[in-house]
Amino acid sequence: MTSYGTIPTSSSPAGNPVNLEYISRAKERIKAGLGTRRPWREMFNFRCFNLPSTSGAFSRIKTNLAFFRMNYVIIVLLILFLSLLWHPISLIVFIVMMAIWLFLYFLRDEPLMIFGWLITDCVVLIVLSVVTIVVLLLTHATTNILVSLLVGVVVVLIHAVVRKTDDLYVDEEAAGGLLTSPPGDSSS
């Protein structure tokens, strides 16, 4: 006997639950990936701004770059994005590169291992930055890209110099080297 109008209580394994699981995992990865981003309120706490002595400027830059690294990357990428609004091909390339950035830098929840070597976030950041710039330069929007990168670097450096570091704690290991040996490797 068939009953019509009832709602099935179980679903097929290839149905909707897989898609919902994928979406919920993606949401968790986005939250965890952006978890290394510092709160914008902390970054722009105006009580923490003043001009340093000439000897303390380099120390402030180093500490702030390590502490606000994810925020600074977002700021530079936003400035670059805004400069490409009048270059549709470059903008499309930029959006594709942003997808790559999302998966390899912002949303990666496990360390990147290549040929048994643990690649740090700093190396991923440098490689993705260089690849993004080179690919965008191939779209013939060179002046816009270089000017926007210069503006982004200047904005980041100004913030890094004038933001006091007294209230910041930087993990020395997280800010450390570019390559580390795999866990359990005693050769390093």
Side-chain angles (χ1 to χ4, degrees):
M1 179 166 163
T2 307
S3 64
Y4 295 100
T6 60
I7 299 173
T9 57
S10 65
S11 59
S12 63
N16 220 6
V18 173
N19 291 337
L20 291 177
E21 180 183 339
Y22 178 76
I23 291 171
S24 66
R25 273 195 354 226
K27 284 182 182 178
E28 288 174 22
R29 287 185 67 192
I30 288 171
K31 287 179 183 177
L34 292 177
T36 57
R37 177 188 57 84
R38 304 299 179 173
W40 294 106
R41 272 191 201 135
E42 183 178 356
M43 187 173 177
F44 294 110
N45 182 356
F46 291 110
R47 285 177 270 154
C48 294
F49 286 100
N50 71 359
L51 292 175
S53 64
T54 54
S55 61
F58 183 74
S59 174
R60 271 194 189 184
I61 291 171
K62 185 178 174 184
T63 303
N64 281 327
L65 285 177
F67 193 79
F68 294 114
R69 178 175 51 205
M70 182 75 72
N71 298 67
Y72 289 150
V73 168
I74 291 170
I75 288 170
V76 171
L77 291 175
L78 178 67
I79 291 170
L80 183 58
F81 172 79
L82 292 174
S83 77
L84 295 176
L85 287 177
W86 292 269
H87 297 276
I89 300 298
S90 299
L91 191 57
I92 291 168
V93 169
F94 182 77
I95 291 170
V96 168
M97 288 304 300
M98 283 304 95
I100 294 170
W101 273 85
L102 280 173
F103 289 109
L104 292 179
Y105 187 71
F106 291 114
L107 301 180
R108 191 180 76 237
D109 56 353
E110 295 181 6
L112 186 60
M113 296 286 289
I114 298 178
F115 300 119
W117 286 94
L118 179 66
I119 309 300
T120 65
D121 280 347
C122 189
V123 171
V124 174
L125 176 68
I126 291 168
V127 170
L128 281 175
S129 298
V130 169
V131 169
T132 301
I133 292 167
V134 168
V135 170
L136 284 172
L137 289 176
L138 294 175
T139 65
H140 304 295
T142 307
T143 305
N144 269 17
I145 294 165
L146 293 178
V147 168
S148 66
L149 288 174
L150 180 65
V151 168
V153 168
V154 167
V155 166
V156 165
L157 286 177
I158 288 172
H159 180 272
V161 167
V162 299
R163 174 64 166 82
K164 290 191 290 188
T165 58
D166 303 340
D167 61 334
L168 306 180
Y169 170 74
V170 179
D171 183 12
E172 293 300 325
E173 283 184 24
L178 299 178
L179 291 173
T180 58
S181 59
D185 185 13
S186 60
S187 64
S188 58

